[in-house]
Amino acid sequence: AHDEFEVGPKNCRRSCGSVSIPFPFGTTKECSLDPEFLINCTNNVPYLPNSTDDNENPLQVLSISVDAAELRV
């Protein structure tokens, strides 16, 4: 049996659509380790906040793997 436990703040949304959002990432400032780990969840689709403040072409997040230290867009 594998016991699931939540890492990071409690009562945080840990998915957006079919994409898992593990800590240190989060969908709110309170649920992410740092603003760089913030994921925008819009219509159940996760996006990276655009660092250029040009939200016309946000990058869609396809998957996040903390173990592999990988975020796919």
Side-chain angles (χ1 to χ4, degrees), residues 6-9 12-16 19-40 46-49 61 63-73:
E6 190 171 330
V7 176
C12 290
R13 184 176 182 174
R14 289 291 161 216
S15 66
C16 179
V19 178
S20 176
I21 311 289
F23 189 79
F25 296 91
T27 57
T28 66
K29 284 189 252 183
E30 297 77 26
C31 292
S32 59
L33 178 66
D34 203 74
E36 285 85 28
F37 291 98
L38 193 60
I39 302 293
N40 288 340
Y47 295 97
L48 286 178
V61 176
S63 67
I64 299 173
S65 173
V66 173
D67 291 338
E70 179 178 83
L71 185 147
R72 289 181 50 228
V73 292

Side-chain angles (χ1 to χ4, degrees), residues 43-59:
N43 298 322
N44 286 320
V45 179
Y47 295 97
L48 286 178
N50 199 323
S51 60
T52 63
D53 294 328
D54 172 18
N55 290 320
E56 292 180 23
N57 297 305
L59 294 175

